[in-house]
Amino acid sequence: MGVIRKTLKIFLAGSIGSVVYLTNTTNLTTPLPADDELWSSKSIATFNRHQNPTIQDVAWKRLPLSQIRPELRDNEEALATEFCRGAWSGYAYAPQRLIMMLTNRGPKTRDQLFRRQQLAFSRYELGTKFSDHFEVVERTKNSITVRAGGSPLEPGPRELDGLLVVSAKVDKETGTVDVGLKTAFFNSVEPIRDGKKPANFVAELLHRLYARAMVDSGVRRLTR
């Protein structure tokens, strides 16, 4: 989480009003329910094979379908992709995006996405790598799972491994759509038997604020 912590320091230098805005306009659920789809996913079985303790939460927002761009309303896959584009190309990821581009772009990463325009129009297909820190490892009809915590060039276990799940779920009966960013961070190197999580409580709080901002950023792409 080193780069994420640097980004969060920049993010938190903003106004208190922004923090209040994000808290009031986005929702946060933690821990995740025991029957959450993430726990039965291929990705969690692959990367957290030791079933180690996780930092887990989902930042989400419910929107009336009437506020969503008409061409997206009946297509959860398109909604999830567009929401993903907005999250990674928007204001919340901008500081980290710049840091990653300046420090990680080079000959070894020339097949990866770094620039805002690339992230704004990517299809986020399986295997898509970006910022030399993220890789799309799973997709469903309404979700995109991204592995984080290290370079895709070094795909082995990590002391701080993570899965980020961007999703969109339409409820036609209520005329709403729930969009969210679900996260699980864990140590994938070795079994952890003392219950220790991979980061401290302060880092958890900062991460959750960052996740709320990513959701807000992604939503803006759906409504304009």
Side-chain angles (χ1 to χ4, degrees), residues 124-140:
Y124 293 94
E125 297 174 325
L126 277 176
T128 299
K129 302 175 180 66
F130 54 103
S131 300
D132 199 33
H133 197 73
F134 304 98
E135 180 178 4
V136 177
V137 294
E138 188 174 351
R139 283 201 65 138
T140 70

Side-chain angles (χ1 to χ4, degrees), residues 9-130:
K9 288 180 181 178
I10 298 172
F11 175 74
L12 288 177
S15 68
I16 294 177
S18 297
V19 176
V20 173
Y21 163 77
L22 290 172
T23 303
N24 289 340
T25 58
T26 59
N27 305 292
L28 187 93
T29 301
T30 184
L32 299 176
D35 61 350
D36 190 272
E37 296 170 352
L38 177 61
W39 305 133
S40 59
S41 71
K42 179 175 66 176
S43 295
I44 199 73
T46 299
F47 297 110
N48 191 13
R49 64 189 186 283
H50 300 301
Q51 300 182 1
N52 282 335
T54 60
I55 294 174
Q56 53 180 276
D57 53 64
V58 56
W60 58 281
K61 191 165 186 172
R62 178 168 293 164
L63 298 166
L65 283 173
S66 59
Q67 293 183 8
I68 302 298
R69 288 160 43 194
E71 69 273 21
L72 301 174
R73 293 173 187 169
D74 296 322
N75 189 330
E76 287 185 333
E77 184 174 10
L79 274 166
T81 300
E82 199 69 5
F83 180 56
C84 192
R85 289 168 173 166
W88 298 114
S89 68
Y91 77 88
Y93 186 59
Q96 186 176 353
R97 186 172 61 240
L98 177 60
I99 292 171
M100 295 293 200
M101 184 167 63
L102 293 175
T103 59
N104 295 345
R105 188 166 61 172
K108 291 183 178 180
T109 58
R110 60 177 176 269
D111 64 333
Q112 297 190 29
L113 311 180
F114 284 93
R115 294 183 292 106
R116 178 180 178 275
Q117 285 297 101
Q118 291 177 310
L119 295 168
F121 294 100
S122 173
R123 296 176 64 182
Y124 293 94
E125 297 174 325
L126 277 176
T128 299
K129 302 175 180 66
F130 54 103

